[in-house]
Amino acid sequence: MGKGLWGRIQRHLTLIKGLFMFSILIFIIQAVGRVAKEVNGQDLRAELATLNTGTLLLLLVCGFIAVLPMLVYDFTIVEFLPGKFSRGYIVRSGWTTNTFTNLAGMGGLLGASLRANFYAKAATKKQVVYAISKIALFLLAGLSLSCWVALIMLFGFDIGQPFRGYWVWLLGGGLYFPGVFVFTRLSNGEFFHDLTLKREMKLIIGSSLEWGSCALFFLLIGWALGLPISLAAVFPMFVVASVAGVVSMIPGGLGSFDVFMIIGLGFLGVSRADATGWLLLYRLFYYLLPFAVGVGFFIHDVGHRVNEFLNGLPVTIMRRGAHLFVTTFMYFSGVMMLLFATIPDVVLANRLYMRLIPYMFYFLSQMSNIIMAFLLIGLARGVGARVKRAFWPTLVVLVVAIVITLWRENFPVGLAILLGLVLACLLFARPELYRTSLNYSWGGLLVDGSIYVGTFILYTILGISSMQIGTHHHHSFLPNAWLLPSTQVWLNGLGGLLVALLILIGIYRYLSSGRPKWLQEPYDAPRMRAIIAKFGGNEVSHLAFLRDKQAYFYQVDGADQLFLLYRQEADKLMVMGEPIGNQAVLEPALKAFMHDADQAGLRPVFYEISETLTLRLHEMGFDFIKVGEEGHVDLQTFKLSGKARRGERALINKFQREGYQFDLLQPPLSDEQFNELQAISASWLNDETEKGFSMGFFDRDYLNEAPVAVMHDAQGKIVAFANLMPTGERNMTSIDLMRASHDAPSGIMDGLFVYLFETCRDQGYQSFNLGMAPLANVGMSEFSFIEERAAHLIYEYGYNFYSFQGLRAYKEKYVTEWQPKYLAYRKRQSLIFSMLQLLLIINRRPNVTPQFVPKWLNGWLVDEVRWQNRE
């Protein structure tokens, strides 16, 4: 039965500890209530009013110093216990224990319980009980020695004669120490085997310092009050009252100690009012204020334990709340200051604004308000984006703003508390600022840009209207409250706005300057080739050699394992396709990539990825949308015979009769071959801008990375070509660029496809990737995402812009299997912005300045739609 009970206790140990900590908090509240009843607020204020600031500071410091000797107990108790404790932990735990015991002693039970809670990490219950018991024996050693000192003063030096009648109390207390000392030194039991003379002396000295510093501090208060008595005569009575307080076992000796001291001080001629004031100051500086610090330490410890038990969730929530509060306050203050600087008469007549004025920064001049407003807004963007470099500038700006705001004759106490809270939240939320640089999102740029541009336009209109009225004396369409008082005021504000623009640019350059090295790595084709050769590629691996994307390499023990292709746009990292390389390390590679991207303030967007990777990313916090389907041809079953292929069979026979031939040009291309291909590409493009990112563009280096399939006419002239996209293994292959000259016969691309299918099959390939059919089978269900259903409408009715259905129908005659492809983006991220940024990247060649309005409506994914539409 005993074992069963102990087992149940062990299973519910965490709950029991929680209940214990909760009961301690309840007891603390009750103890504070009792002390509050003893300490009359009006009397305390009256007593404090009699002391100057210097004396109060002296008492505050000395009160805390008087508590310090009690820490000797805690530094000694850890010597009896296994495990290591840092000095800071011992100081915090000891301070909490001793200040709690001072105020609510419970006969030493509270101190023993708290020490057992703080120091029982690596010790057994028996070790803890033994250690606490040894310490408890010497807690009153100092008071016992003080009794002997008091007796000597009373009967040896005639100091404190009125208190000789209490000699019995002193003698009883004095006998405690000799008895304990003799008992511990003569005992040979196992209990005292580790209680060496050195440790015993340490405890005796610590106890003596505790009670001695306590008595000296009490006498210091009497000196500060300037009472005309002999302070030395107070000492014996203080010892007597302390013994009475211990004997009574009342928490903190409340009542018994005070009664003895008031009566005793009365024997020395101290009035009851002065004695009460003396005791109130003693309670405040030696008990209450140190106890308040102990409560802070206790709450910190409890919070730390709760935080550990809940895997850090409470602190994370509080830090994020503090971070949000600081960011919101900075934007709020910035906007409020801008309104006050630009349209003061309007906002000062607004009731809501007047209610909010007590919670904003305030500067005297219009220009300083404008400059400080945009300093706050610019830095708020950095704080909101969690940029590490934003912390110190923000701290400096907030401190300056707080000092200037509060430097008034009527010190706004409420605002001071609020601004102090803002500073505290910034300091507390500092771990949230971990990113290396700022990358402006389109949403952030829209908000901040709208604030500045809107302010500039409004202020310009107000200034022009004000000047026109002053010059031409005609009535303005604006109310008088909106008009500026003079041209000088307008010019000052306009100058402030121009300075603010420079400040915003400077802040952005400063916050965005900490780009990590991996974002600046140069193009490294040999490194990518090595990974593809070792682990194999995929349908997008050949696009790595376009040099329009960067590569993120993941290593294990210094060896390259995998890489992702991406391009940055604003705060997005547009990842093209699946990661390339060793798929066994895919999960840690994705985590490392996301961690590094997050550190850099960037958010990945994965484009044209498989269903498997989409679901894996969904578990990592990504939303997704289907963007189309990818067609695959099973080469092992492809053949021209049969009724289904009679059209292709007839086309091939026609080309053979007319002398057209298929060939594979092996890299590197000769100058003559390249010039022919370049002429065909120029004819095909017809002055249109080439795409990039998810498809290839005409580039000699890129074409030299793999064989190029061509169709010759009867004279040997190349009339059409397509470059192959090897995957590093003979399982799947594909093509990228498909281009034909204007004089090429109809159906030339079909012929090129058929020859490619047969050639790749003969070379051992299993399948041929025909690429994407954008928006195919997207949003077909009534339960699909709204974005997917909108995409389906584009697929159905967007034929004027792009032949979505035509492309799908063309590929359908060859495709054996359609595989869905998705776009994955972070949750709570704007899908609209992500899609626009993706289209911008696709429709922009590298190293080419994009037009203000990109031609993205005419180019989703594949070049081959041009000749399909033409036919």
Side-chain angles (χ1 to χ4, degrees):
M1 181 177 177
K3 291 184 178 180
L5 177 61
W6 178 247
R8 287 195 293 272
I9 292 175
Q10 288 290 95
R11 287 194 299 270
H12 299 87
L13 191 58
T14 302
L15 177 61
I16 294 171
K17 287 183 177 180
L19 292 174
F20 169 74
M21 304 302 281
F22 181 73
S23 64
I24 292 294
L25 287 173
I26 296 297
F27 184 79
I28 290 168
I29 294 171
Q30 292 176 343
V32 172
R34 286 195 300 268
V35 175
K37 292 179 181 178
E38 293 286 333
V39 179
N40 184 278
Q42 293 182 351
D43 293 342
L44 181 59
R45 283 193 293 270
E47 201 63 43
L48 291 174
T50 64
L51 304 175
N52 57 48
T53 304
T55 303
L56 289 174
L57 289 176
L58 176 65
L59 294 179
L60 177 64
V61 173
C62 290
F64 278 77
I65 292 175
V67 176
L68 289 176
M70 289 187 283
L71 298 179
V72 173
Y73 305 137
D74 296 271
F75 278 98
T76 305
I77 195 173
V78 297
E79 297 179 8
F80 295 104
L81 298 173
K84 293 184 178 180
F85 302 90
S86 67
R87 289 187 177 182
Y89 181 81
I90 297 173
V91 169
R92 292 194 302 272
S93 303
W95 188 279
T96 302
T97 301
N98 292 304
T99 55
F100 280 24
T101 305
N102 270 354
L103 194 65
M106 294 177 63
L109 178 60
L110 177 60
S113 301
L114 287 172
R115 286 192 171 97
N117 175 68
F118 289 133
Y119 304 124
K121 292 181 179 179
T124 64
K125 296 187 180 301
K126 180 179 178 181
Q127 289 173 318
V128 173
V129 172
Y130 277 18
I132 292 173
S133 301
K134 293 164 191 172
I135 298 298
L137 287 173
F138 293 91
L139 293 178
L140 299 177
L143 180 59
S144 182
L145 290 174
S146 298
C147 289
W148 291 111
V149 174
L151 286 169
I152 293 171
M153 292 175 68
L154 287 173
F155 298 100
F157 298 94
D158 291 331
I159 298 175
Q161 288 185 5
F163 311 125
R164 284 186 174 183
Y166 297 105
W167 66 270
V168 176
W169 291 82
L170 295 174
L171 180 61
L175 291 175
Y176 176 82
F177 168 68
V180 170
F181 184 76
V182 172
F183 175 72
T184 55
R185 297 318 305 159
L186 295 180
S187 176
N188 294 321
E190 182 184 352
F191 183 80
F192 295 109
H193 79 279
D194 56 351
L195 187 60
T196 62
L197 179 61
K198 181 180 178 181
R199 288 177 177 173
E200 198 165 331
M201 293 305 298
K202 187 187 294 187
L203 290 170
I204 293 169
I205 293 172
S207 181
S208 300
L209 290 174
E210 174 199 350
W211 290 99
S213 61
C214 178
L216 289 175
F217 180 68
F218 188 83
L219 298 179
L220 177 66
I221 296 174
W223 170 83
L225 292 174
L227 299 176
I229 60 172
S230 172
L231 293 177
V234 177
F235 178 78
M237 191 60 226
F238 177 85
V239 177
V240 171
S242 298
V243 172
V246 171
V247 172
S248 70
M249 296 188 67
I250 297 175
L254 290 175
S256 55
F257 175 85
D258 301 75
V259 170
F260 270 80
M261 284 308 305
I262 290 174
I263 294 173
L265 291 174
F267 291 156
L268 297 177
V270 178
S271 66
R272 186 175 294 273
D274 288 336
T276 302
W278 193 337
L279 289 167
L280 286 176
L281 293 175
Y282 176 63
R283 293 291 183 194
L284 174 66
F285 289 106
Y286 185 74
Y287 285 91
L288 284 180
L289 295 182
F291 171 77
V293 175
V295 170
F297 286 151
F298 182 77
I299 292 174
H300 174 270
D301 181 75
V302 172
H304 179 71
R305 295 176 185 229
V306 172
N307 188 58
E308 282 188 339
F309 178 73
L310 297 176
N311 296 322
L313 184 61
V315 169
T316 300
I317 292 174
M318 288 190 293
R319 278 185 176 150
R320 290 184 180 178
H323 170 259
L324 178 63
F325 171 68
V326 172
T327 305
T328 304
F329 179 80
M330 291 175 69
Y331 265 109
F332 163 78
S333 292
V335 172
M336 292 284 287
M337 293 172 73
L338 274 180
L339 292 173
F340 182 76
T342 52
I343 48 174
D345 293 337
V346 176
V347 296
L348 291 178
N350 184 277
R351 291 184 179 180
L352 176 61
Y353 188 88
M354 293 302 295
R355 288 182 180 179
L356 296 175
I357 270 186
Y359 308 106
M360 61 174 276
F361 291 120
Y362 176 77
F363 286 72
L364 293 177
S365 70
Q366 179 191 28
M367 181 175 287
S368 61
N369 271 296
I370 291 175
I371 292 174
M372 182 56 68
F374 281 107
L375 266 175
L376 290 170
I377 291 172
L379 290 172
R381 176 58 53 187
V383 172
R386 295 181 167 87
V387 181
K388 187 186 300 183
R389 298 166 67 92
F391 176 76
W392 285 110
T394 303
L395 183 64
V396 171
V397 168
L398 285 179
V399 169
V400 171
I402 288 171
V403 170
I404 294 176
T405 300
L406 298 181
W407 200 260
R408 310 182 199 171
E409 291 184 6
N410 298 323
F411 188 83
V413 178
L415 181 59
I417 295 174
L418 173 64
L419 299 182
L421 179 62
V422 172
L423 271 184
C425 286
L426 176 64
L427 295 171
F428 179 66
R430 186 178 183 182
E432 287 290 304
L433 309 183
Y434 61 89
R435 290 175 176 151
T436 56
S437 60
L438 171 67
N439 291 279
Y440 246 120
S441 66
W442 280 12
L445 188 61
L446 180 64
V447 171
D448 295 351
S450 298
I451 292 175
Y452 183 85
V453 174
T455 302
F456 190 87
I457 292 175
L458 173 64
Y459 197 69
T460 302
I461 294 174
L462 294 180
I464 293 174
S465 300
S466 301
M467 286 191 297
Q468 287 178 345
I469 291 177
T471 304
H472 304 290
H473 304 288
H474 69 273
H475 182 71
S476 172
F477 67 93
L478 294 172
N480 290 333
W482 286 79
L483 301 178
L484 300 176
S486 67
T487 303
Q488 184 62 43
V489 171
W490 179 62
L491 292 176
N492 287 340
L494 198 62
L497 286 172
L498 295 176
V499 173
L501 178 61
L502 298 177
I503 288 174
L504 287 176
I505 294 173
I507 290 174
Y508 172 71
R509 290 178 65 87
Y510 169 73
L511 295 178
S512 62
S513 60
R515 287 173 60 84
K517 291 183 180 179
W518 63 271
L519 280 171
Q520 306 174 51
E521 287 189 359
Y523 174 75
D524 194 341
R527 195 174 175 185
M528 292 184 285
R529 286 194 193 97
I531 294 177
I532 294 173
K534 184 175 181 180
F535 300 106
N538 57 27
E539 61 270 24
V540 302
S541 56
H542 194 67
L543 294 175
F545 305 112
L546 279 169
R547 303 189 307 280
D548 68 335
K549 292 174 280 292
Q550 292 176 270
Y552 174 88
F553 293 93
Y554 178 73
Q555 297 181 325
V556 176
D557 297 328
D560 289 334
Q561 299 288 313
L562 178 146
F563 69 93
L564 296 90
L565 297 174
Y566 71 90
R567 196 193 298 180
Q568 181 180 348
E569 182 67 32
D571 66 327
K572 308 293 193 309
L573 288 183
M574 299 296 181
V575 180
M576 181 59 221
E578 307 267 324
I580 303 157
N582 185 5
Q583 298 303 304
V585 299
L586 178 60
E587 186 166 349
L590 287 173
K591 289 180 179 179
F593 174 66
M594 291 177 194
H595 174 269
D596 290 345
D598 185 54
Q599 289 282 322
L602 297 165
R603 291 180 285 184
V605 176
F606 292 82
Y607 178 55
E608 280 192 29
I609 59 175
S610 66
E611 186 174 333
T612 301
L613 181 58
T614 300
L615 293 177
R616 178 170 288 184
L617 290 172
H618 184 62
E619 293 176 355
M620 301 172 76
F622 281 74
D623 274 336
F624 58 91
I625 180 175
K626 186 177 179 182
V627 292
E629 295 182 333
E630 190 176 73
H632 290 256
V633 180
D634 185 353
L635 296 179
Q636 300 303 309
T637 61
F638 179 81
K639 55 184 179 179
L640 284 178
S641 60
K643 184 177 180 181
R645 297 293 180 202
R646 62 184 178 184
E648 287 79 11
R649 192 166 57 249
L651 187 64
I652 293 299
N653 291 333
K654 171 190 172 185
F655 286 150
Q656 289 177 346
R657 288 194 305 269
E658 294 177 356
Y660 285 91
Q661 293 182 343
F662 171 82
D663 190 17
L664 281 179
L665 304 181
Q666 299 297 326
L669 299 173
S670 66
D671 291 340
E672 182 182 356
Q673 291 171 334
F674 175 74
N675 290 334
E676 282 193 83
L677 299 181
Q678 189 175 40
I680 294 173
S681 178
S683 172
W684 173 273
L685 289 172
N686 194 23
D687 296 328
E688 288 190 36
T689 302
E690 288 202 84
K691 307 290 187 285
F693 189 66
S694 62
M695 66 188 70
F697 47 82
F698 192 85
D699 178 80
R700 185 163 190 169
D701 291 331
Y702 178 55
L703 292 176
N704 278 329
E705 289 289 339
V708 178
V710 297
M711 291 290 288
H712 295 277
D713 62 12
Q715 290 73 39
K717 177 184 176 183
I718 300 175
V719 294
F721 74 90
N723 68 311
L724 291 176
M725 298 179 67
T727 60
E729 54 186 15
R730 291 190 177 274
N731 180 39
M732 182 189 70
T733 189
S734 183
I735 57 172
D736 188 10
L737 301 178
M738 293 189 303
R739 300 186 177 180
S741 60
H742 282 294
D743 55 356
S746 176
I748 192 66
M749 284 300 178
D750 282 290
L752 188 61
F753 265 130
V754 171
Y755 281 119
L756 272 172
F757 294 159
E758 293 182 331
T759 302
C760 292
R761 181 190 60 201
D762 295 340
Q763 291 178 351
Y765 287 96
Q766 301 296 312
S767 66
F768 195 98
N769 187 344
L770 280 180
M772 280 274 290
L775 306 183
N777 285 331
V778 176
M780 300 289 288
S781 170
E782 61 178 308
F783 303 108
S784 299
F785 297 148
I786 294 178
E787 296 89 346
E788 291 180 331
R789 296 184 68 181
H792 179 69
L793 293 178
I794 297 175
Y795 179 79
E796 288 287 337
Y797 305 111
Y799 49 82
N800 288 326
F801 302 112
Y802 189 87
S803 183
F804 295 104
Q805 297 186 46
L807 180 60
R808 165 81 183 203
Y810 174 78
K811 293 184 177 182
E812 188 75 60
K813 60 186 177 182
Y814 297 115
V815 169
T816 309
E817 178 188 10
W818 289 101
Q819 295 183 1
K821 290 293 180 178
Y822 298 88
L823 179 136
Y825 57 98
R826 296 288 299 183
K827 291 182 179 179
R828 298 180 298 276
Q829 179 178 309
S830 172
L831 176 61
I832 295 176
F833 282 166
S834 296
M835 295 293 289
L836 289 176
Q837 288 163 339
L838 176 64
L839 292 171
L840 186 64
I841 287 177
I842 291 174
N843 286 272
R844 184 176 68 214
R845 276 283 304 274
N847 302 322
V848 176
T849 303
Q851 298 177 3
F852 181 72
V853 181
K855 295 188 286 185
W856 54 268
L857 284 177
N858 196 34
W860 246 88
L861 290 177
V862 287
D863 261 338
E864 64 263 34
V865 74
R866 293 193 182 95
W867 59 264
Q868 171 64 17
N869 289 339
R870 188 181 67 196
E871 291 180 347

